[in-house]
Amino acid sequence: MPPKILALVQARTSSTRLPGKVLMPIVGKPMFALQLERLKRCTTFSHLVVATSSDASDNELAELCAHVGVSCSRGSLSDVLDRFFNAALPYAPDVVVRLTGDCPLADPTLIDEIVTRFVASDLDYLSNCEPATYPDGLDVEVTRFAALEAAWREAVLPSHREHVTPFIKRQPERFRVGNHVSGDIDRSAMRWTVDEPEDFEFVKQVYERLYPGNPLFTTQDVLTLLAAEPVLAQINARYQRNEGSKKSLIADAKFLAEKSHD
């Protein structure tokens, strides 16, 4: 029997660096609706579900999910691991694909490629970002539900509760961990995620050029556009990858310091 594969997309409107980004309009649609359009093109999922918070700030996001016909689960605003795990639980999946709602250029072909590789392996966790060779914003993480449940039960560090998978991927002696690398060149310096106003402007410019003529545009179409208009990539070039993770590590240090004084 083939494994049950659940794709969970984390999303909320209360992001600290660009609040409400998921609902900001691009080509007449909310940014997150455009990402969901792309994720619906994936063929390896049994279900696609959005995991958002039960906070009133995410009511509009839940309404958007209903409008575009994507299931939505609501849980803790601050404990993302708890929200994520409880969103998965009713589906009893074998495999969980973790995606985030700040990636409107998500690549459905790449996602399916990574999921297919995971299913054919004996890994507990597979991503394409440890280390990264794809543009920031094309991140995909796949894990066994059993590993996710272990993280949910045992993880205590703030970074583990906020970012869901560090408990798994930072213990290679316990979990079988793999990385999926690009077959051609390293494009990890490219920034296609949306955390800052300049990130949004970059994605908006890409969509305005490509989407009207071809809503099914691909990663190769984006690369071709950037080769023709290299100035676009400079819009958000000053930002570094994984700024959010760095903040969580600071929170970890504070947590451990406070615990040592207990």
Side-chain angles (χ1 to χ4, degrees), residues 42 66 73 77-78 101 107 117 145 161-162 175 207-208 221:
C42 294
S73 174
L77 178 62
S78 58
D107 184 336
R117 178 186 163 190
F145 180 75
R161 305 304 301 190
E162 181 181 359
F175 301 105
Y207 263 92
E208 287 176 350
D221 293 327

Side-chain angles (χ1 to χ4, degrees), residues 10-24 32 51-53 55-64 74 77 83 101:
Q10 286 175 219
R12 62 186 175 99
T13 60
S14 55
S15 54
T16 55
R17 284 172 282 178
L18 188 58
K21 63 187 178 184
V22 292
L23 299 175
M24 292 168 65
F32 190 52
T52 193
S53 85
D55 191 82
S57 62
D58 286 319
N59 288 349
E60 190 174 352
L61 179 56
E63 291 168 6
L64 169 63
R74 304 185 70 174
L77 178 62
R83 185 207 315 168

Side-chain angles (χ1 to χ4, degrees), residues 153-201:
R153 291 186 184 281
E154 300 174 34
V156 295
L157 289 176
S159 66
H160 292 177
R161 305 304 301 190
E162 181 181 359
H163 296 288
V164 179
T165 57
F167 180 89
I168 301 168
K169 63 189 180 184
R170 298 288 180 262
Q171 297 191 79
E173 73 285 353
R174 177 175 178 184
F175 301 105
R176 293 162 294 187
V177 174
N179 189 56
H180 187 86
V181 299
S182 174
D184 47 18
I185 65 174
D186 183 350
R187 296 191 174 94
S188 58
M190 292 182 167
R191 185 174 174 87
W192 297 5
T193 189
V194 177
D195 283 320
E196 307 286 351
E198 292 94 330
D199 296 332
F200 179 79
E201 182 60 27

